């Protein structure tokens, strides 16, 4: 069973379920007419259940996979593809949905490989008849930028959780002295060179000291918000439309994640924006 999250975990799932319900209402009108098949793809599917809180405040809620599988009206998806890297979680998920009479795949692999396969499939002649709603919900920086590029110009609406505060900002050390492994992680996650990353988040100034001129490196103000803007701009290089994010904060009001939805369909993003606005203002 997955253990994490505060109040945002519920909100994130509610946003997804609200969007999926609206998506299926719209697709119900068009899918038959145009011969489209509908796939739900979940890249970080979890075990099916989420445990929140600790000890006496412990609470178990249904994970997104089970919530999405429960939507039947006005129609359900034609197929469901769940990716989960942890073998135990994948088995637990498989077991808990085995009685559901729907076409479901649970794959115990790395999401990055499967996103790339999905991108290739969507560009193949067979893939042209498929519309995909994807949910990419990592707990950290496991999503590689390179994997997302395979979805460029595809028939996919994707909700993507970006660990701006929890991930990127934590690796961007104040003095700019970032270890080689962290710089590599940032490069893979953002799909940018180290020089571009450093130029985005650090300033160098000349300071006159007793011993002459010295260069001082300082981290930019509001690095979390800046990393969200940067990621949003990167997403808009792959997808025509990107929503304003739903901002996930912890109990001390620090930003942990930004939750975006991307699509090549203007109306899809309009609907998603209405939902995220509502939750941002709650
Ligand atoms: C935040 S949890 C997902 C929760 C899930 N969306 C839900 O609503 O229940 C992230 C999950 O991703 C899995 N995971 C971590 N790295 C992964 C990877 N590279 N590919 C696929 N799954 C991964 C973890 O084992 C964990 O179960």
């Amino acid at each position: 069973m997955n253990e994490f999250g505060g109040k945002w975990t519920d909100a994130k799932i509610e946003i997804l379920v609200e969007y999926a319900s609206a998506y299926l209402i719209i697709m119900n009108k068009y899918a038959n007419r145009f011969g489209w098949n509908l796939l739900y793809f979940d890249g970080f599917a979890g075990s099916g259940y989420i445990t929140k809180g600790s000890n006496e405040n412990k609470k178990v809620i249904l994970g997104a996979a089970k919530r999405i599988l429960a939507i039947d009206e006005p129609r359900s998806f034609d197929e469901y593809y769940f990716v989960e890297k942890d073998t135990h979680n994948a088995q637990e998920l498989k077991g808990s949905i085995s009685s559901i009479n729907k076409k479901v795949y649970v794959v115990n692999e790395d999401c990055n490989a499967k996103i790339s396969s999905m991108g290739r499939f969507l560009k193949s002649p067979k893939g042209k008849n498929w519309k995909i709603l994807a949910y990419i919900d990592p707990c950290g920086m496991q999503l590689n930028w390179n994997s997302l590029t395979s979805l460029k110009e595809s028939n996919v609406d994707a909700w993507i959780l970006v660990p701006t505060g929890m991930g990127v900002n934590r690796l961007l050390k104040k003095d700019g002295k970032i270890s080689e492994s962290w710089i590599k992680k940032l490069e893979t996650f953002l799909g940018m060179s180290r020089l571009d990353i450093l130029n985005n988040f650090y300033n160098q100034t000349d300071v006159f000291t007793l011993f002459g001129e010295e260069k001082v490196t300082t981290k930019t103000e509001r690095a979390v918000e800046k990393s969200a803007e940067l990621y949003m701009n990167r997403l808009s290089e792959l997808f025509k439309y990107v929503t304003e994010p739903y901002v996930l904060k912890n109990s001390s009001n620090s930003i942990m994640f930004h939750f975006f939805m991307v699509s090549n369909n203007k109306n899809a993003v309009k609907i998603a924006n209405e939902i995220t606005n509502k939750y941002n203002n709650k």
Side-chain angles (χ1 to χ4, degrees), residues 2 4 9 12-13 42-50 62-65 83-86 89 107 109-112 135 137-140 142-143 161:
N2 285 98
F4 43 76
T9 301
K12 193 178 57 173
I13 295 179
D42 189 335
F44 295 83
S47 63
Y49 297 95
I50 298 169
L62 293 182
V83 187
E84 171 54 53
K85 193 174 178 186
D86 180 273
N89 282 349
V107 184
E109 282 192 46
D110 189 306
C111 173
N112 290 291
Y135 181 43
D137 179 34
C139 29
Q142 293 90 358
L143 175 65
L161 186 71

Side-chain angles (χ1 to χ4, degrees), residues 11-208:
K12 193 178 57 173
I13 295 179
E14 293 312 322
I15 289 172
L16 174 77
V17 169
E18 214 170 297
Y19 182 80
S21 305
Y23 181 92
L24 288 168
I25 289 172
I26 294 166
M27 288 302 185
N28 191 42
K29 290 188 194 152
Y30 298 108
N32 278 350
R33 197 191 308 168
F34 295 110
W36 295 336
N37 297 304
L38 306 184
L39 174 76
Y40 176 76
F41 174 94
D42 189 335
F44 295 83
S47 63
Y49 297 95
I50 298 169
T51 312
K52 295 173 55 189
S54 53
N55 305 328
E56 65 278 7
N57 293 324
K58 216 167 194 164
K59 188 177 144 198
V60 177
I61 63 166
L62 293 182
K66 289 179 78 77
R67 293 287 305 279
I68 294 288
L69 277 164
I71 306 175
D72 288 322
E73 295 298 333
R75 59 163 293 160
S76 42
F77 288 88
D78 294 301
E79 297 188 21
Y80 302 79
Y81 197 95
F82 296 110
V83 187
E84 171 54 53
K85 193 174 178 186
D86 180 273
T87 306
H88 181 77
N89 282 349
Q91 276 167 355
E92 209 176 319
L93 177 62
K94 219 176 209 168
S96 76
I97 59 178
S98 58
S99 61
I100 294 175
N101 193 16
K102 290 183 174 172
K103 201 161 184 186
V104 181
Y105 303 93
V106 178
V107 184
N108 182 203
E109 282 192 46
D110 189 306
C111 173
N112 290 291
K114 291 295 141 189
I115 291 180
S116 300
S117 312
M118 178 164 74
R120 281 194 298 277
F121 170 74
L122 282 170
K123 286 182 179 77
S124 71
K126 205 172 156 200
K128 299 280 177 221
N129 297 329
W130 285 81
K131 299 273 177 198
I132 300 183
L133 174 60
Y135 181 43
I136 317 258
D137 179 34
C139 29
M141 295 171 72
Q142 293 90 358
L143 175 65
N144 299 340
W145 180 258
N146 208 19
S147 318
L148 274 186
T149 60
S150 61
L151 299 181
K152 189 172 179 170
E153 290 164 10
S154 298
N155 288 330
V156 61
D157 290 2
W159 284 91
I160 304 172
L161 186 71
V162 185
T164 47
M166 270 285 285
V168 177
N169 185 49
R170 288 190 182 174
L171 302 197
L172 294 169
K173 289 195 57 188
K174 267 198 168 143
D175 57 6
K177 290 184 183 139
I178 309 172
S179 70
E180 189 56 24
S181 64
W182 283 12
I183 268 284
K184 285 223 162 80
K185 187 80 206 161
L186 286 162
E187 285 179 315
T188 313
F189 180 75
L190 295 167
M192 291 167 66
S193 72
R194 69 183 62 203
L195 190 64
D196 284 344
I197 295 169
L198 296 176
N199 283 341
N200 257 283
F201 291 103
Y202 293 93
N203 303 309
Q204 278 222 327
T205 40
D206 293 325
V207 177
F208 294 94

Side-chain angles (χ1 to χ4, degrees), residues 229-243:
E229 280 162 29
L230 175 68
Y231 206 85
M232 194 173 174
N233 290 337
R234 300 285 284 135
L235 287 173
S236 61
E237 292 166 21
L238 305 180
F239 302 91
K240 280 195 191 136
Y241 307 100
V242 183
T243 57

